[in-house]
PDB file of all heavy atoms in Angstrom:
ATOM      1  N   GLY C  75     -20.663  11.855  23.181  1.00  0.00           N
ATOM      2  CA  GLY C  75     -20.048  12.880  22.340  1.00  0.00           C
ATOM      3  C   GLY C  75     -19.956  14.226  23.043  1.00  0.00           C
ATOM      4  O   GLY C  75     -20.595  14.452  24.080  1.00  0.00           O
ATOM      5  N   ALA C  76     -19.167  15.102  22.453  1.00  0.00           N
ATOM      6  CA  ALA C  76     -19.093  16.468  22.979  1.00  0.00           C
ATOM      7  C   ALA C  76     -20.474  17.104  22.947  1.00  0.00           C
ATOM      8  O   ALA C  76     -20.812  17.945  23.777  1.00  0.00           O
ATOM      9  CB  ALA C  76     -18.097  17.287  22.162  1.00  0.00           C
ATOM     10  N   SER C  77     -21.311  16.654  22.001  1.00  0.00           N
ATOM     11  CA  SER C  77     -22.659  17.234  21.875  1.00  0.00           C
ATOM     12  C   SER C  77     -23.495  17.036  23.136  1.00  0.00           C
ATOM     13  O   SER C  77     -24.336  17.880  23.451  1.00  0.00           O
ATOM     14  CB  SER C  77     -23.371  16.624  20.671  1.00  0.00           C
ATOM     15  OG  SER C  77     -22.627  16.870  19.501  1.00  0.00           O
ATOM     16  N   TRP C 102     -19.676  25.444  16.310  1.00  0.00           N
ATOM     17  CA  TRP C 102     -19.759  24.631  17.533  1.00  0.00           C
ATOM     18  C   TRP C 102     -20.227  25.467  18.701  1.00  0.00           C
ATOM     19  O   TRP C 102     -21.021  25.008  19.534  1.00  0.00           O
ATOM     20  CB  TRP C 102     -18.448  23.910  17.811  1.00  0.00           C
ATOM     21  CG  TRP C 102     -18.225  22.808  16.815  1.00  0.00           C
ATOM     22  CD1 TRP C 102     -17.231  22.730  15.887  1.00  0.00           C
ATOM     23  CD2 TRP C 102     -19.051  21.648  16.614  1.00  0.00           C
ATOM     24  NE1 TRP C 102     -17.383  21.596  15.124  1.00  0.00           N
ATOM     25  CE2 TRP C 102     -18.490  20.914  15.546  1.00  0.00           C
ATOM     26  CE3 TRP C 102     -20.209  21.152  17.220  1.00  0.00           C
ATOM     27  CZ2 TRP C 102     -19.041  19.714  15.080  1.00  0.00           C
ATOM     28  CZ3 TRP C 102     -20.763  19.957  16.760  1.00  0.00           C
ATOM     29  CH2 TRP C 102     -20.182  19.259  15.698  1.00  0.00           C
ATOM     30  N   THR C 152     -13.581  24.019  14.938  1.00  0.00           N
ATOM     31  CA  THR C 152     -13.108  22.995  14.013  1.00  0.00           C
ATOM     32  C   THR C 152     -13.508  23.277  12.561  1.00  0.00           C
ATOM     33  O   THR C 152     -12.785  22.950  11.629  1.00  0.00           O
ATOM     34  CB  THR C 152     -13.724  21.641  14.438  1.00  0.00           C
ATOM     35  OG1 THR C 152     -13.735  21.588  15.866  1.00  0.00           O
ATOM     36  CG2 THR C 152     -12.957  20.475  13.876  1.00  0.00           C
ATOM     37  N   ASP C 179     -14.962  24.010  25.422  1.00  0.00           N
ATOM     38  CA  ASP C 179     -15.117  22.848  24.535  1.00  0.00           C
ATOM     39  C   ASP C 179     -13.812  22.690  23.761  1.00  0.00           C
ATOM     40  O   ASP C 179     -13.611  23.327  22.732  1.00  0.00           O
ATOM     41  CB  ASP C 179     -16.297  23.075  23.579  1.00  0.00           C
ATOM     42  CG  ASP C 179     -16.405  21.976  22.514  1.00  0.00           C
ATOM     43  OD1 ASP C 179     -15.588  21.028  22.531  1.00  0.00           O
ATOM     44  OD2 ASP C 179     -17.313  22.065  21.663  1.00  0.00           O
ATOM     45  N   SER C 181     -12.685  20.081  22.167  1.00  0.00           N
ATOM     46  CA  SER C 181     -12.722  18.854  21.366  1.00  0.00           C
ATOM     47  C   SER C 181     -11.625  18.784  20.312  1.00  0.00           C
ATOM     48  O   SER C 181     -11.052  17.725  20.082  1.00  0.00           O
ATOM     49  CB  SER C 181     -14.075  18.735  20.661  1.00  0.00           C
ATOM     50  OG  SER C 181     -15.098  18.546  21.602  1.00  0.00           O
ATOM     51  N   GLN C 202     -12.420  11.955  19.421  1.00  0.00           N
ATOM     52  CA  GLN C 202     -12.132  11.496  18.061  1.00  0.00           C
ATOM     53  C   GLN C 202     -11.303  12.436  17.191  1.00  0.00           C
ATOM     54  O   GLN C 202     -11.068  12.155  16.028  1.00  0.00           O
ATOM     55  CB  GLN C 202     -13.433  11.133  17.348  1.00  0.00           C
ATOM     56  CG  GLN C 202     -14.342  12.310  17.026  1.00  0.00           C
ATOM     57  CD  GLN C 202     -15.325  12.646  18.136  1.00  0.00           C
ATOM     58  OE1 GLN C 202     -15.077  12.359  19.288  1.00  0.00           O
ATOM     59  NE2 GLN C 202     -16.441  13.251  17.803  1.00  0.00           N
ATOM     60  N   LYS C 203     -10.885  13.581  17.762  1.00  0.00           N
ATOM     61  CA  LYS C 203     -10.031  14.463  16.974  1.00  0.00           C
ATOM     62  C   LYS C 203      -8.572  14.329  17.381  1.00  0.00           C
ATOM     63  O   LYS C 203      -7.721  14.121  16.545  1.00  0.00           O
ATOM     64  CB  LYS C 203     -10.498  15.907  17.100  1.00  0.00           C
ATOM     65  CG  LYS C 203     -11.657  16.205  16.157  1.00  0.00           C
ATOM     66  CD  LYS C 203     -12.906  16.652  16.820  1.00  0.00           C
ATOM     67  CE  LYS C 203     -14.066  16.666  15.846  1.00  0.00           C
ATOM     68  NZ  LYS C 203     -15.272  17.207  16.444  1.00  0.00           N
TER      69      LYS C 203
HETATM   70  C1  PLP O   1     -16.519  17.562  16.703  1.00  0.00           C
HETATM   71  C2  PLP O   1     -16.852  18.620  17.675  1.00  0.00           C
HETATM   72  C3  PLP O   1     -17.987  18.545  18.494  1.00  0.00           C
HETATM   73  C4  PLP O   1     -19.001  17.414  18.390  1.00  0.00           C
HETATM   74  O1  PLP O   1     -18.481  16.247  18.844  1.00  0.00           O
HETATM   75  P1  PLP O   1     -19.394  14.907  18.901  1.00  0.00           P
HETATM   76  O2  PLP O   1     -18.508  13.986  19.643  1.00  0.00           O
HETATM   77  O3  PLP O   1     -19.666  14.512  17.501  1.00  0.00           O
HETATM   78  O4  PLP O   1     -20.634  15.240  19.644  1.00  0.00           O
HETATM   79  C5  PLP O   1     -18.220  19.562  19.403  1.00  0.00           C
HETATM   80  N1  PLP O   1     -17.386  20.600  19.517  1.00  0.00           N
HETATM   81  C6  PLP O   1     -16.279  20.715  18.739  1.00  0.00           C
HETATM   82  C7  PLP O   1     -15.371  21.889  18.910  1.00  0.00           C
HETATM   83  C8  PLP O   1     -15.983  19.735  17.805  1.00  0.00           C
HETATM   84  O5  PLP O   1     -14.887  19.841  17.028  1.00  0.00           O
END
Side-chain angles (χ1 to χ4, degrees):
S77 301
W102 289 115
T152 321
D179 173 1
S181 294
Q202 69 271 25
K203 278 120 191 185

